[in-house]
Amino acid sequence: MKNDDFRRSGHQFVDWIADYFENIEKYPVRSRVGPGEIKALVPAVPPARGEAMDVLFRDFERIVMPGISHWQHPGWFAYFPANNSPASVLGELLAAGLGAQGMVWETSPAATELEEVVMDWLRQMIGLPAGFSGVIQDTASTATLCSLLAARERATGFETNESGFSAPLAVYASEEAHSSVVKGVKIAGFGRKNLRRIPTDGRFALVPEKLEEALARDREAGLVPACVVATVGTTSSGAIDPLRPVGEICRRHGLWLHVDAAWAGTAALLPEKRWILDGAELADSLVFNPHKWMLTNFDCSAHFVKDPAALVRALEVHPEYLRTGVDAKVRNLRDWGIQLGRRFRALKLWFVVRGYGVEGLQAMVREHLRLAALVRDWVEADARFELLAPAELGLVCFRLNDGRDEDALNELNKRFLDRVNAAGPVYLTHTTLRGKFTVRLAVGQRTTGERHVRGAWDIVTAAAAEVLAA
Ligand SMILES: *Cc1c(COP(=O)(O)O)cnc(C)c1O
């Protein structure tokens, strides 16, 4: 491709993205294609000769776009958000253009140093005390895995890295903790059966006394407790584990405390929501995802650790070909995570924080919380619905309940959710809470406003009337 062609297509694509942002409401939120439909449109063998960008772009529109679910749509209420922003997209574009790889400081000093500074901005923005150091991981799953590995090494005097697994270690997380904890426990070699799922209370938050009991049982049985993963904002219901009592237990028992605040951490941008991280100073590590609810396009996960030496010691490698003359003076971020090569993700994050300012980001979060509270109030005011979790942040969990038995209610609510999503302008997903099929409505898209939430509620109530009448 000639540079002039790149220039022309580049302008055209940025225009296309700007139009996409402007016209996104014209698309149904969730892709309507069936399994295999996209694959059937793409040749099974690669082209022998290069093709023109115009041709590729036509195929992007014809083949790819129908198979896209529109995460940036203001009617996206599914899962959790993964919102982006013009500032973030532009930062990503420049990073792609530079094609710099920040595995060690010397391979692009700006990539490492900007990451250090912007991560410290983030630390201040969510009210974490000084003394936590930040690093960008690809995802919360990876950050949690890295913390589990550091916890494993600390609990075994850094011996597992040398000799392999021998000590029977145990990990603790609530029964509502994210599946990435299970995955991390499997990958890190703890063994799934050594993950204790601690019971939760009426608000789906971990019960500290139950944690204490599990620790005592395991010690009695000769296991070595290594790590507790507490969740701030569980995926199913937004539950907030009490960090302070959990942290005090960890202190007493010498356990690594990792806090998974992947989604809800962004809410701590607001001084009035900082209580969700009360006790976080007792943690050894914490993760939250700017790529969920902080306008930074995927991927960008903020991982904070109190003792980076433990993390680095668990993950470092020093082959000759990666040594440089300044290793003693700088951070080589390859040792802060799993992979060697590192994208320059700090650039888009820097653009986002500067482009919006802390106040701009706070205003967005505050508005989302206001909108979610509206939905919660509407659920509570309509006798056909039942609120199934407290809805303290941007997530509302509810179902239809007309008093039929639980199995029939689950069936009814499945039909209800299908009806809601069939309409097109909104997309909601589900979970189960204590066996109850639960509809989740998560507010967090950049452009979601009161108009969209009211529109969603009209669709929800119309679908409710239809399935209750059927
Ligand atoms: C979304 C989420 C995760 C996983 O995040 P990734 O960045 O996709 O790995 C983990 N924990 C919680 C609580 C989440 O909400």
Side-chain angles (χ1 to χ4, degrees), residues 143-158:
T144 296
L145 172 59
C146 290
S147 284
L148 285 167
L149 291 168
R152 184 192 78 186
E153 288 310 300
R154 200 177 72 178
T156 58
F158 295 85

Side-chain angles (χ1 to χ4, degrees), residues 336-459:
W336 291 59
I338 291 168
Q339 81 276 21
L340 170 62
R342 307 187 82 254
R343 286 162 25 70
F344 187 6
R345 285 173 294 225
L347 189 60
K348 63 186 173 187
L349 189 56
W350 193 47
F351 276 28
V352 166
V353 177
R354 294 186 62 190
Y356 288 85
V358 175
E359 288 174 9
L361 295 170
Q362 288 172 328
M364 174 196 72
V365 174
R366 217 171 253 130
E367 176 64 0
H368 288 155
L369 294 182
R370 185 185 75 82
L371 297 176
L374 278 181
V375 176
R376 182 198 56 207
D377 292 348
W378 296 334
V379 167
E380 289 193 301
D382 188 326
R384 293 171 298 178
F385 295 108
E386 179 186 12
L387 189 71
L388 291 173
E392 279 164 314
L393 300 172
L395 172 66
V396 186
C397 292
F398 65 102
R399 68 171 179 176
L400 283 171
N401 188 348
D402 61 356
R404 60 185 87 181
D405 71 42
E406 284 297 330
D407 285 346
L409 276 179
N410 285 350
E411 282 308 312
L412 173 75
N413 279 285
K414 263 181 220 162
R415 284 201 303 283
F416 163 56
L417 179 60
D418 285 344
R419 188 67 63 104
V420 168
N421 286 333
V426 298
Y427 181 21
L428 281 65
T429 52
H430 80 280
T431 187
T432 55
L433 289 171
R434 310 256 190 262
K436 296 171 184 169
F437 185 94
T438 303
V439 176
R440 297 168 73 266
L441 191 155
V443 182
Q445 269 319 313
R446 172 170 58 93
T447 53
T448 300
E450 186 164 332
R451 169 170 76 85
H452 305 100
V453 169
R454 288 191 180 276
W457 191 248
D458 288 343
I459 291 169

Side-chain angles (χ1 to χ4, degrees), residues 27-298:
Y27 298 90
V29 187
R30 193 177 63 178
S31 168
R32 297 269 170 86
V33 305
E37 269 181 49
I38 303 293
K39 266 197 293 195
L41 298 173
V42 184
V45 291
R49 274 188 293 273
E51 301 175 79
M53 193 47 70
D54 290 343
V55 177
L56 302 193
F57 187 70
R58 276 201 296 280
D59 280 350
F60 165 75
E61 291 198 296
R62 178 177 68 91
I63 298 172
V64 175
M65 284 307 284
I68 292 296
S69 291
H70 299 280
W71 285 74
Q72 307 312 317
H73 195 298
W76 184 277
F77 300 107
Y79 304 99
F80 278 139
N83 60 21
N84 72 4
S85 60
S88 170
V89 172
L90 293 173
E92 186 79 291
L93 183 63
L94 292 179
L98 295 174
Q101 214 266 68
M103 58 187 184
V104 296
W105 178 88
E106 202 168 275
T107 58
S108 273
T112 297
E113 296 194 5
L114 201 59
E115 183 162 330
E116 278 182 54
V117 175
V118 178
M119 288 301 291
D120 201 63
W121 288 4
L122 278 194
R123 178 192 64 71
Q124 298 168 49
M125 285 161 65
I126 61 168
L128 268 189
F132 280 92
S133 306
V135 59
I136 301 179
Q137 308 284 5
D138 54 5
T139 58
S141 303
T142 300
T144 296
L145 172 59
C146 290
S147 284
L148 285 167
L149 291 168
R152 184 192 78 186
E153 288 310 300
R154 200 177 72 178
T156 58
F158 295 85
E159 223 0 78
T160 308
N161 266 348
E162 290 310 312
S163 318
F165 231 100
S166 57
L169 304 179
V171 176
Y172 305 79
S174 94
E175 58 194 357
E176 294 289 324
H178 191 261
S179 58
S180 57
V181 179
V182 182
K183 209 183 229 184
V185 161
K186 291 201 291 183
I187 299 170
F190 291 98
R192 192 187 177 119
K193 77 172 182 14
N194 296 317
L195 172 62
R196 304 280 171 268
R197 304 306 296 259
I198 308 301
T200 54
D201 62 17
R203 303 166 81 84
F204 303 101
L206 183 147
V207 179
E209 294 74 27
K210 299 283 182 194
L211 171 63
E212 194 94 72
E213 285 168 26
L215 289 167
R217 266 198 310 275
D218 282 341
R219 284 210 195 281
E220 191 102 332
L223 269 83
V224 180
C227 184
V228 175
V229 181
T231 312
V232 170
T234 59
T235 311
S236 275
S237 71
I240 298 157
D241 290 346
L243 297 186
R244 187 165 297 285
V246 170
E248 280 160 4
I249 292 170
C250 290
R251 279 265 161 106
R252 267 205 310 284
H253 292 263
L255 305 182
W256 186 289
L257 173 59
H258 174 65
V259 177
D260 175 3
W263 162 70
T266 301
L269 291 176
L270 304 181
E272 66 269 28
K273 290 289 173 192
R274 287 266 157 86
W275 60 267
I276 66 175
L277 294 183
D278 177 58
E281 72 276 10
L282 299 170
D284 294 283
S285 56
L286 178 146
V287 62
F288 93 97
N289 281 344
H291 72 221
K292 271 186 170 150
W293 192 12
M294 219 188 84
L295 298 178
T296 309
N297 64 280
F298 192 85

